[in-house]
Amino acid sequence: MGVLPINLRNQVGSAAEYVAISPEKISKTPIKIDLIQAAALPGVGATAIIALKYKANLRKGEKLLVRGASGGVGSIAIQIGKMLGAHVTALANEKHLTFLQELGADEVFDYKETSPTDLKKFDVVMDTVGTDLKHYRRLLAKNGRLVTIGFPSFSSFIYILTSTIFGSRRVRTFSANPKNEILKELASYVDSNKVRPVVDSIYRLSDVAKAHHSLETGGGRGKRIINLLDKK
């Protein structure tokens, strides 16, 4: 399993039967799951590990908020957060809240009914949405860290940039481009039953447009998968 690096045109990923990739960008899949489940892991799993363990330095006993918790990254971030010993609060669509509790979330809230002012302070906020960052930054305790994997507007980028210079509550962003050390670490978490992949739906390669439409529509749970083995 692996993640294709972003190319010079800022494009990432593929939908193909074969790709050429550097050996340092791949690793063996976990032993305890099949290839379909493994396909749901590398991008989102590596992102969650890098964000929480290496960027935010999440520690045991700290309070973590995962925003967009039902998506691919969010569903893994909940599990990584619990593995690291944090108290995890999940913010997502109401229809996914019970499932997020099953993943290990200590508290769950419907994002449509819950504004930032309704929430308490957190040591770390893991944001997968990229909007209203200043409102969620205000939820950070002293020396808190907000890690976001998306900033859809130029103003969001400027806000992130200035927050790294001023104040004790920092906003951090990054683009996960993991090498095999992170992928091996992720595989070990799966094989030790600390993390499990979350698959929303599975499509054939001929239905790739439907998969993209589903992704753009939003509201899913985990990852959409293209099954190259199903050629019916």
Side-chain angles (χ1 to χ4, degrees), residues 52-227:
L52 295 179
K53 189 173 180 179
Y54 298 108
K55 293 294 182 178
N57 191 26
L58 181 66
R59 295 181 289 271
K60 183 177 180 179
E62 289 193 315
K63 294 181 179 180
L64 166 68
L65 172 66
V66 180
R67 185 180 178 216
S70 64
V73 175
S75 59
I76 302 296
I78 288 174
Q79 300 176 71
I80 296 294
K82 291 303 297 180
M83 183 194 73
L84 294 175
H87 180 280
V88 179
T89 299
L91 194 60
N93 190 294
E94 186 274 336
K95 65 182 179 181
H96 299 306
L97 299 186
T98 299
F99 173 71
L100 298 179
Q101 287 178 312
E102 294 172 356
L103 286 181
D106 298 288
E107 296 182 270
V108 293
F109 294 96
D110 179 3
Y111 79 93
K112 293 182 180 179
E113 302 294 333
T114 308
S115 72
T117 56
D118 297 322
L119 298 169
K120 299 178 181 179
K121 295 290 185 179
F122 297 92
D123 300 291
V124 174
V125 174
M126 173 69 185
D127 174 78
T128 70
V129 182
T131 59
D132 301 322
L133 294 182
K134 67 178 181 179
H135 298 295
Y136 286 92
R137 185 189 181 201
R138 291 170 184 161
L139 295 178
L140 294 176
K142 185 178 180 181
N143 298 319
R145 295 84 72 200
L146 188 157
V147 184
T148 181
I149 60 172
F151 41 95
S153 67
F154 180 74
S155 61
S156 295
F157 174 76
I158 295 299
Y159 181 77
I160 293 169
L161 184 63
T162 56
S163 79
T164 63
I165 302 173
F166 302 102
S168 62
R169 296 174 295 178
R170 303 298 176 88
V171 180
R172 304 168 187 178
T173 188
F174 68 98
S175 178
N177 194 15
K179 294 185 177 181
N180 53 20
E181 290 86 356
I182 293 291
L183 298 174
K184 290 177 182 178
E185 182 178 350
L186 174 60
S188 72
Y189 295 155
V190 175
D191 283 333
S192 60
N193 298 318
K194 295 175 181 176
V195 171
R196 64 183 175 95
V198 179
V199 177
D200 177 274
S201 47
I202 303 172
Y203 300 85
R204 293 177 295 186
L205 182 58
S206 59
D207 292 325
V208 66
K210 294 180 181 179
H212 279 278
H213 178 71
S214 174
L215 180 63
E216 292 163 5
T217 301
R221 177 188 296 179
K223 291 290 290 181
R224 280 86 168 174
I225 303 299
I226 305 297
N227 182 8

